[in-house]
Amino acid sequence: MERSVRILFALVLGLCLVATAAWADEPFRVSNIRVEGLVRISDGTLFNYLPIQPGDVVDSAKLASALRAVYRAGFFRDVEFRRDGDDLVIVVDERPAIESFSVTGNKEIKTEELERVLIQAGLAEGRIFDRSTLDQVTQELVRQYHSRGRYGVEVKSDVTEVGSNQVRVAILVKEGEISGIRQINIVGNTAFPDDKLLEQFELKTPSTFTFISADDRYAREKLGSDLEKLRSYYMDRGYANFRIESTQVAVSPDRRGVYVTINIREGDIYTIKETKLVGDLPIAESALTPFVVHRAGDRFAMARVNATSELIKQRLGADGFAFAEVSPFPELDHDKKEVSLTFLVEAGARVYVRRINFRSTGETDDNVYRREMRQLEGTWLTNALIDRSRLRIARLPFVEDVDHKVERVPGSEDEVEVDFDIKERQAGTFNASLGFGGSTTGAFVDFSISHSNFLGTGNRVQIALNSRNYAQSYSLSLTEPYWNIDNVSRTLSMYYNVADSLGVDLETISRENFGVTMSFRWPLSEYSSFSFGTSITKTDFAVGARTASPTVYAFVTNPNHGDIYEINAGFGQITNGTRYRTLLMTGGWSFDTRNRAIFADRGMLRQLTADIAVYPGDVQWWALRGTQTNYFPVSRGLTLGVDTEIGLVSPYGTSGDVPPDRKLFGGGADSVRGFRDAYLGPTYQLGNNQPTPTGGNLRVSVQSELLLPNLFADDPTAPPKNGRVGLFVDVGMVYATVSDFDVNQLRASGGIAASFLTPIGAMRFSFAYPFRSEDTDQTERFQFTIGTLF
């Protein structure tokens, strides 16, 4: 169609030129220019393209040039020059304008994306209509659908005249079905079998699971990626002269099946003869040589060649040469099957950071982000420090995502500015509720505010008030992550709570606590820190003589645990109690390489904490807890998370036992899911035959979870932002004493879990099947918890 239009245009133009030559063989001076046929186009617009003005002397050559210039403006279907005495008369036939433009039937390619391309091509409401442009766009649209595996697509255009020299343009799309891959053939391979090579491909032939993964749907981009994987597979195994000779894609007559044939030439296996560094070496060659991972005699591997280039660039970047380029040049000796590797180093100028800018979606103080910087202004630009700075910002609990870019300063060869684009998430929660829970719970009031970026300072503040007829609690805490110039953090907290139980059942227990805490954390290195703190707590613990477990009753009635008392409530009911003070010293060490504080998918968190209740407190006990959380990237957005915990608690000195509320409990979201919270481990049968957990001195648990990619995100392999789902297996148990440890007593469960960030906190759901349990265990298949955002 386009060729036909061009031929017709050439014929019309030729006839016009002949006609022009017939009456303009002799030059003449133009006294006036008249235009006929204009409707929407103004005279002035045409004159902008006309290289002739009144008073000019014109001949046939100049008129032909002017005719071409007016045609090239694109406004007219036909242009004719006439002479009326000394007047030049231009007769035009305007192209129609587009009154409206529509695209229907498209689903694979979004309408917004199509409209953007169409506007760039000139097909939009109010623009001049050009049939050849419409045909080109239609053909390109067909090619785009073919590249996405839809070979049965039909794209038609409909142009309707609506009067006033206007047209209505509609593109009608019938996408058809995505063509499936029937067969992939690799021709020319002898070193590796077909199935081994096809394992590297993303494109697959139909199988049991491809209807879910859609890997059997042809797409040109996927094929291009697979060809690169095939080339890398061979070149990483020594085949330095491997070639893909050709690729044929054939479509079945019904346009639903695709057959791919790849012709390759494997070549021979090559070894490394020598490696050299040449070019601009701003630092000693001996400092770069250790980063050359190939040695003479090694089998050639392109992945190692690329790794060498990247390592040398990183090493140069550490000294400020952030834009260094390292280009490998392999020279092949086909006779000896050897490769001489030459790395051309172009370090460029050493670059300094003039300024670091932060662009945030919130009201956070600039200093909150600036104090996380490991790259400083006025110093060399070091890519490793930039990456570490970005990671530290990403790990702030109120940051959802962060990206950065380095821009050269205009007019300067050695200065740059670094811009951090930060997207903040919900930094805190607010929750308030008032209600009546029946005769058992009675009226209740819940109120809590927690914020990890209070007033944009990066400080963490939490206030909570909870009141029920069997328990009340009040707490206030403040954490300053950068309390002083040495990056020491400080936490101050105060709390008061009173309850009629240990928080696990409505038994006859009364416990009242009031305490204050102060703790500090010192950074030891970029990844590790040490913490130390102290707290003072005053406790009043009372139990019914007939309704308490033996361990709780023994603690309360032991005179070594404080001031004991006894109350005769009548009817044979005796309440025993003790009042004691606890001076607790705490210490801890942590090593954290996670890429995010919330929803991490890489790195490790290792923590060791120690608590010891010391004199002059009334009780003496100690506790140790060790945890380690690892995230192992598996593939394509899959991550394996493993969380291991061992906890110990024990009395010492004159104390006969650990306070009941300091015992270790298990079960629930943070231990072994599928078992009732706090009921995993030792229990005691009360008079109502209901088991009451008494806790233990040893707790072990391992939570392993396969975290799934976010299939609803634009990039499923990207780290999750507001939620994630995983398949888990949990193993653990709580033992009364360390000597009671028995592997055969471990409980286990498996299931599916999900976590989401919401305005009222972090919600966690799990559905578990306890596949290793006892009949006496308290199990819960479905569990739900609400925490905070940090």
Side-chain angles (χ1 to χ4, degrees), residues 438-488:
S439 59
T440 301
T441 303
F444 64 86
V445 176
D446 289 330
F447 173 83
S448 66
I449 296 177
S450 59
H451 208 288
S452 61
N453 188 20
F454 185 65
L455 299 179
T457 62
N459 294 337
R460 181 183 305 167
V461 175
Q462 185 167 0
I463 303 172
L465 180 154
N466 304 99
S467 179
R468 285 165 172 76
N469 65 356
Y470 64 88
Q472 297 84 42
S473 65
Y474 312 88
S475 64
L476 170 66
S477 67
L478 168 65
T479 299
E480 301 169 273
Y482 287 83
W483 176 60
N484 65 10
I485 61 174
D486 295 322
N487 297 343
V488 175

Side-chain angles (χ1 to χ4, degrees), residues 231 235 240-245 263-267 332:
R231 182 179 290 106
M235 298 196 77
N241 60 342
F242 170 82
R243 295 290 183 272
I244 296 178
E245 301 288 353
N263 297 281
I264 66 173
R265 181 171 64 84
E266 292 180 327
L332 276 60

Side-chain angles (χ1 to χ4, degrees), residues 101-289:
F101 195 99
S102 63
V103 182
T104 58
N106 59 300
K107 295 180 180 178
E108 180 76 16
I109 302 178
K110 295 181 179 179
T111 300
E112 296 79 7
E113 182 181 346
L114 278 176
E115 289 178 346
R116 185 169 56 252
V117 175
L118 293 171
I119 291 174
Q120 293 175 353
L123 295 175
E125 184 177 337
R127 299 284 186 90
I128 299 298
F129 173 68
D130 189 337
R131 167 66 73 173
S132 63
T133 300
L134 177 61
D135 293 339
Q136 292 174 16
V137 169
T138 301
Q139 295 170 11
E140 178 60 29
L141 188 56
V142 171
R143 285 193 290 269
Q144 288 295 323
Y145 273 102
H146 285 180
S147 70
R148 300 181 183 215
R150 294 185 181 269
Y151 284 95
V153 65
E154 295 181 10
V155 180
K156 297 180 180 179
S157 60
D158 180 65
V159 180
T160 306
E161 296 185 2
V162 295
S164 301
N165 201 28
Q166 292 183 315
V167 294
R168 184 177 294 121
V169 181
I171 293 182
L172 310 175
V173 180
K174 291 183 179 180
E175 294 183 334
E177 297 181 1
I178 296 180
S179 303
I181 296 177
R182 301 281 178 82
Q183 194 171 12
I184 303 177
N185 299 313
I186 300 178
V187 180
N189 56 306
T190 58
F192 305 101
D194 287 1
D195 57 350
K196 189 67 177 179
L197 298 178
L198 292 176
E199 286 179 2
Q200 317 306 316
F201 282 31
E202 183 179 355
L203 292 176
K204 307 289 184 183
T205 53
S207 65
T208 305
F209 299 102
T210 51
F211 78 95
I212 298 177
S213 63
D215 290 338
D216 61 338
R217 297 182 177 183
Y218 173 78
R220 187 171 58 189
E221 292 79 6
K222 287 185 178 181
L223 178 59
S225 174
D226 288 343
L227 293 178
E228 286 302 316
K229 293 176 183 177
L230 179 62
R231 182 179 290 106
S232 298
Y233 186 84
Y234 270 94
M235 298 196 77
D236 289 344
R237 286 159 179 78
Y239 294 87
N241 60 342
F242 170 82
R243 295 290 183 272
I244 296 178
E245 301 288 353
S246 62
T247 304
Q248 294 89 35
V249 179
V251 184
S252 62
D254 62 1
R255 295 189 173 274
R256 294 186 177 183
V258 175
Y259 298 84
V260 180
T261 302
I262 305 169
N263 297 281
I264 66 173
R265 181 171 64 84
E266 292 180 327
D268 301 305
I269 295 178
Y270 285 69
T271 58
I272 300 297
K273 178 182 179 181
E274 61 178 350
T275 58
K276 295 185 297 183
L277 298 177
V278 299
D280 179 16
L281 303 179
I283 62 178
E285 183 175 349
S286 58
L288 299 177
T289 301

